[in-house]
Amino acid sequence: MLITYRCHQRQHYPTDSFSIEQAPWTAQVLNNHSFPHALTDEPTSQPTAAIYTGNQRMQITMESAKDSSKSSNMKEILARLGGIFPMDEEAVLKLLPMGTKLIVVEKFGVSAFTATGRIKALEPTGGQKEYFIKVAYGEQGRVMLNGEAMSSLMIYDLMPDFIPKPVGFGAYQQEQAAYFYLSEFVDMDVTTPPDPVEWTKRLANMHKQSQSPTGQFGFPVKTCDGKTAHTTDWEESWAVFYRTLFLGVCKRDIKANGSWPELELAAEQIANAVIPQLLDNLKMSDGQKIKPCIIHGDLWEGNMGISKETNKSLLFDAGSYFAHNEMELGHWRCEFSTVFRDKSYTEHYQQNYPPAEPVEEFDDRNRLYSLKGAIVYSAGHPQSSMRKTAYNNMLYLIEKYAPLNGVDKYDPNIDPSITGTCIVPHLAEGFI
């Protein structure tokens, strides 16, 4: 059958989804949903991946697959593939109803770390259905999309109208070459800011309704913020979990950007002195212990949209874990989040999910939680100004909670929460 390939550019890609071969715990967590492939942290085995363009079939060699996995810049990867959207029809069809035929596969949207596309399929009943597909390479790509699959599945199971319906996560057939994530396609408006009342109510409901399968903080599989993997091992203490997560992303930043002794000293002080003071004794507004809530994990306006059909806000690109709910709002302080930095979003959110006690430390916790997003961005975008922002925010917290010699002084003149400074995300990758 002839599969037509087209290109269709858009500012943001609109939806995400996945594939699964159930692990023993999955049925309990997902209310007995059944999926064909397992979401575990173990690599999936596979044979040969194919790219189709018109009636031409091109085999991806092991060498080209290895080359692709070495680069995290998707523009470079696609250039090596001749600009053709990477597609393995056989692997994708395994996740769709038997008898489904692919009609059109087209490049759709942009992404810094994955190839994104839209599939138009003919169903066995004769109707047409559209799907969204993401493709990523190597072990990093497997972890990224496997984590997104489980994240989307858990959120969909909780609130089916809050994220595009997941279909499956799978592997293209060339061993260690390409992995994909498939969901139903949802046409979204990704340029209009969401209504603060509607959006924050839905987000708070997701946080409040979620239940950690272990009662702890963490996640069943590794997930990612961008291309940076989270440390998601289950942990009883939120302070211990966040400390481990924070130190993990700091380590990745040093690997990407090189040593900065003062920043490294400040990070250790945050981990050993500030985090215990701010997080050890947190209580919910009713005096109970804080509850592990599922969070999106990389939530800024670039990872949400408004359904054109229902006019409801939606999430996509999730890299979830069970966390203190306020962790979600840390991203909104970062320079890459221009819409959600408007205080009305945080204020409306707090009307639906009151701040933890002590309430007077909310802004300091928000600054602390923003460190993870800023450092992850710095690690994924070497030489970014957000590394300096993270360091300056560490200095603020250190001066207030645990003074230390050998580091600089906090400078309010370069604090984006004061100056309003913003950045254009992924500008360096040439997507804007």
Side-chain angles (χ1 to χ4, degrees):
M1 178 180 182
L2 178 67
I3 302 177
T4 305
Y5 277 74
R6 298 198 293 231
C7 283
H8 181 78
Q9 294 293 337
R10 196 165 182 235
Q11 183 71 16
H12 299 285
Y13 46 88
T15 156
D16 298 330
S17 218
F18 64 98
S19 131
I20 304 174
E21 189 169 286
Q22 282 190 285
W25 43 264
T26 309
Q28 297 176 356
V29 174
L30 306 176
N31 297 330
N32 296 314
H33 287 318
S34 178
F35 294 88
H37 294 281
L39 288 175
T40 69
D41 275 331
E42 297 303 316
T44 307
S45 59
Q46 37 209 304
T48 105
I51 297 177
Y52 294 85
T53 172
N55 58 3
Q56 179 186 20
R57 175 176 173 123
M58 296 170 55
Q59 298 296 330
I60 304 178
T61 66
M62 175 67 83
E63 213 45 53
S64 67
K66 287 180 179 177
D67 287 345
S68 294
S69 66
K70 288 177 183 176
S71 175
S72 59
N73 187 313
M74 191 51 58
K75 287 184 73 174
E76 293 177 6
I77 293 172
L78 292 177
R80 272 200 293 273
L81 296 174
I84 302 166
F85 187 83
M87 183 66 188
D88 183 340
E89 182 184 9
E90 183 180 351
V92 170
L93 285 174
K94 286 180 181 178
L95 304 183
L96 300 178
M98 188 173 294
T100 298
K101 297 179 180 178
L102 306 187
I103 304 170
V104 174
V105 179
E106 57 186 0
K107 186 177 183 295
F108 191 93
V110 293
S111 172
F113 310 117
T114 63
T116 55
R118 176 167 59 178
I119 296 172
K120 296 182 180 180
L122 183 65
E123 298 182 296
T125 57
Q128 288 193 18
K129 194 169 185 67
E130 294 187 351
Y131 299 93
F132 185 77
I133 186 170
K134 298 175 75 172
V135 180
Y137 294 90
E139 176 62 9
Q140 177 179 283
R142 185 194 67 80
V143 171
M144 188 190 310
L145 297 187
N146 184 61
E148 183 175 349
M150 176 56 81
S151 301
S152 301
L153 179 60
M154 284 195 172
I155 293 172
Y156 182 82
D157 190 64
L158 186 66
M159 292 179 64
D161 64 347
F162 202 34
I163 197 164
K165 183 177 181 179
V167 176
F169 161 82
Y172 282 3
Q173 296 175 341
Q174 179 69 36
E175 187 175 357
Q176 295 183 342
Y179 298 86
F180 70 99
Y181 171 56
L182 192 69
S183 69
E184 291 188 354
F185 180 89
V186 177
D187 194 11
M188 297 186 200
D189 175 359
V190 293
T191 58
T192 302
D195 174 58
V197 176
E198 185 264 358
W199 161 244
T200 58
K201 182 178 181 179
R202 282 164 66 75
L203 180 63
N205 283 343
M206 182 187 83
H207 293 158
K208 288 189 287 188
Q209 293 174 26
S210 62
Q211 295 291 331
S212 168
T214 65
Q216 297 180 321
F217 301 96
F219 207 64
V221 300
K222 289 180 182 177
T223 60
C224 293
D225 180 346
K227 65 178 182 178
T228 302
H230 295 131
T231 303
T232 57
D233 297 339
W234 294 111
E235 175 56 58
E236 185 72 31
S237 162
W238 168 241
V240 172
F241 179 89
Y242 184 70
R243 180 183 186 276
T244 303
L245 178 69
F246 169 73
L247 289 175
V249 297
C250 287
K251 184 177 179 179
R252 291 176 182 273
D253 174 68
I254 293 168
K255 184 176 180 180
N257 287 292
S259 179
W260 182 356
E262 291 81 7
L263 180 144
E264 293 164 41
L265 185 60
E268 287 295 329
Q269 186 73 345
I270 292 290
N272 297 330
V274 176
I275 288 176
Q277 288 192 58
L278 281 176
L279 304 186
D280 265 350
N281 299 306
L282 283 180
K283 301 288 183 184
M284 295 173 66
S285 58
D286 60 4
Q288 299 295 312
K289 239 178 118 177
I290 60 168
K291 162 186 175 291
C293 301
I294 194 168
I295 65 170
H296 176 283
D298 182 16
L299 189 56
W300 62 294
E301 56 268 19
N303 285 339
M304 63 81 56
I306 301 169
S307 168
K308 292 184 178 180
E309 180 181 359
T310 67
N311 208 35
K312 291 182 178 180
S313 54
L314 291 165
L315 306 171
F316 53 88
D317 256 13
S320 299
Y321 47 98
F322 287 86
H324 179 206
N325 66 295
E326 292 177 13
M327 181 71 192
E328 193 88 276
L329 312 185
H331 262 41
W332 299 2
R333 196 183 193 100
C334 295
E335 293 101 306
F336 54 71
S337 186
T338 55
V339 173
F340 294 157
R341 281 170 72 187
D342 186 316
K343 291 184 178 179
S344 65
Y345 287 97
T346 297
E347 290 168 355
H348 280 290
Y349 177 87
Q350 290 177 333
Q351 291 175 17
N352 293 285
Y353 204 137
E357 297 285 352
V359 174
E360 63 272 15
E361 292 179 358
F362 171 81
D363 191 65
D364 291 338
R365 292 194 300 269
N366 184 255
R367 190 183 294 267
L368 176 67
Y369 293 157
S370 77
L371 295 178
K372 179 261 187 183
I375 295 168
V376 165
Y377 192 91
S378 171
H381 304 78
Q383 310 307 315
S384 167
S385 62
M386 290 192 65
R387 195 183 200 204
K388 191 171 184 179
T389 296
Y391 176 54
N392 197 48
N393 278 328
M394 290 182 205
L395 298 176
Y396 175 93
L397 294 169
I398 288 169
E399 288 179 14
K400 185 169 183 178
Y401 291 97
L404 176 71
N405 293 325
V407 295
D408 297 295
K409 295 293 184 184
Y410 162 73
D411 185 355
N413 296 311
I414 58 171
D415 185 340
S417 68
I418 296 174
T419 65
T421 302
C422 299
I423 65 169
V424 180
H426 306 307
L427 183 63
E429 288 92 342
F431 290 127
I432 305 299

